[in-house]
């Protein structure tokens, strides 16, 4: 049973465009929602994270939008660059040493 | 954030042998986690390792196949035993930053079993 559904699985965006990756969760006990960025041959690196008490969090070109009632959250990458080409994983966990559940991943390619 | 190193970074092994992967963290952490990431796939939790107690394994993973040691608060090992080609994956350790709910990952060990 996939508790965090992520889409799309692959995404091609032109340089300067907006990349949007969506995730939906089922477990209402989740209260921490990180996004990870993984380059080939590397471990996942934390990109940005949000808790349900806010609807949006922005860090540079990266923004998380969170809709608690719909149990959905999304990552927006503004002004996408070729260097953003990587696999992105959304994730969810409960408070305090709870198992992290990962989405299936989105392979993003930003073309010049 | 924690700095995590893993050894080896990659290895090619023969069927039926075992490989031990080491994970070292630059700070003391209570919980360490071991994940498997098969090619092109997401991360699957193998087990959670607490210092001073037996590791807790997820469904589908057993101690005989993936024995784990956690001798202190900065180090853990994962052994992949009696390997088969199906064990070819990236193995990742991670730690949870105390009080933050954030997990940080090591660089991974890329294992190929022939």
């Amino acid at each position: 049973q996939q508790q965090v559904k992520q889409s799309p699985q692959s995404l091609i965006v032109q340089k300067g465009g907006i990349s949007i990756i969506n995730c939906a969760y089922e477990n209402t006990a989740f209260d921490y929602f990180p996004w990870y960025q993984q380059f080939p041959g590397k471990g996942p690196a934390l990109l940005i994270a949000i808790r349900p008490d806010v609807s949006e969090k922005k860090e540079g070109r990266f923004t998380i939008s969170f809709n608690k009632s719909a149990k959905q959250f999304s990552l927006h990458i503004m002004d996408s660059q070729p260097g953003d080409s990587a696999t992105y994983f959304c994730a969810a966990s409960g408070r305090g040493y709870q198992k992290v559940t990962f989405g299936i991943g989105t392979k993003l390619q930003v073309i010049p | 954030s924690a700095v995590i190193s893993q050894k080896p970074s990659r290895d090619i092994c023969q069927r039926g042998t075992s490989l031990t992967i080491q994970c070292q963290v630059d700070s003391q952490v209570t919980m360490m986690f071991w994940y498997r990431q098969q090619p092109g796939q997401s991360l699957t939790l193998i087990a959670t390792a607490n210092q001073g107690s037996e590791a807790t394994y997820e469904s589908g993973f057993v101690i005989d196949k993936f024995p784990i040691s956690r001798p202190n608060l900065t180090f853990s090992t994962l052994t992949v035993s009696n390997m088969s080609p199906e064990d070819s994956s990236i193995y990742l350790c991670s730690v949870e930053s105390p009080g933050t709910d954030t997990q940080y990952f090591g660089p991974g060990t890329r294992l190929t079993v022939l």
Side-chain angles (χ1 to χ4, degrees), chain B residues 29-32 49-52 68-76:
Chain B
V29 293
T30 304
M31 309 282 281
M32 294 181 77
N50 275 343
Q51 192 268 334
I68 288 171
S69 77
R70 182 78 201 275
N72 58 52
L73 291 173
T74 62
F75 187 79
S76 177

Side-chain angles (χ1 to χ4, degrees), chain B residues 9-114:
Chain B
S9 59
R10 59 176 61 224
D11 207 341
I12 301 173
C13 301
Q14 294 297 318
R15 180 196 298 262
T17 63
S18 298
L19 176 72
T20 295
I21 302 168
Q22 299 178 7
C23 179
Q24 180 76 50
V25 190
D26 69 341
S27 57
Q28 294 185 340
V29 293
T30 304
M31 309 282 281
M32 294 181 77
F33 306 88
W34 286 98
Y35 287 83
R36 182 174 72 183
Q37 185 177 28
Q38 294 177 307
Q41 302 297 313
S42 188
L43 290 80
T44 301
L45 181 64
I46 297 171
T48 301
N50 275 343
Q51 192 268 334
S53 64
E54 293 288 326
T56 302
Y57 289 82
E58 295 298 306
S59 175
F61 298 97
V62 295
I63 187 171
D64 290 347
K65 176 67 175 178
F66 298 101
I68 288 171
S69 77
R70 182 78 201 275
N72 58 52
L73 291 173
T74 62
F75 187 79
S76 177
T77 67
L78 170 76
T79 299
V80 186
S81 303
N82 188 25
M83 289 183 286
S84 67
E86 293 70 34
D87 295 319
S88 297
S89 286
I90 298 172
Y91 291 86
L92 296 148
C93 72
S94 78
V95 303
E96 184 164 305
S97 181
T100 69
D101 294 329
T102 301
Q103 283 198 15
Y104 296 96
F105 286 84
T109 295
R110 182 179 294 272
L111 171 62
T112 302
V113 184
L114 302 177

Side-chain angles (χ1 to χ4, degrees), chain A residues 36-110:
Chain A
Y36 286 87
Q37 179 188 57
Q38 186 177 30
F39 293 104
K42 305 290 186 183
L46 178 69
L47 189 61
I48 186 172
I50 197 169
R51 293 199 183 271
D53 53 344
V54 297
S55 60
E56 185 175 283
K57 183 174 182 180
K58 184 176 181 179
E59 290 184 1
R61 296 185 294 111
F62 301 92
T63 300
I64 300 178
S65 297
F66 189 86
N67 186 329
K68 187 175 180 178
S69 61
K71 292 188 287 186
Q72 295 175 348
F73 59 110
S74 61
L75 176 70
H76 291 63
I77 306 174
M78 313 299 289
D79 187 26
S80 299
Q81 299 296 313
D84 296 329
S85 297
T87 300
Y88 293 81
F89 294 96
C90 63
S93 68
R95 189 170 293 275
Y97 295 139
Q98 297 297 313
K99 172 183 169 181
V100 177
T101 301
F102 288 87
I104 198 168
T106 297
K107 187 172 183 179
L108 170 66
Q109 184 181 1
V110 181

Side-chain angles (χ1 to χ4, degrees), chain A residues 6-27:
Chain A
Q6 182 173 348
S7 63
Q9 288 186 247
S10 65
L11 181 62
I12 300 175
V13 173
Q14 290 250 298
K15 178 183 175 181
I18 303 173
S19 303
I20 301 174
I21 305 170
N22 300 300
C23 285
Y25 63 98
E26 300 167 5
N27 189 343

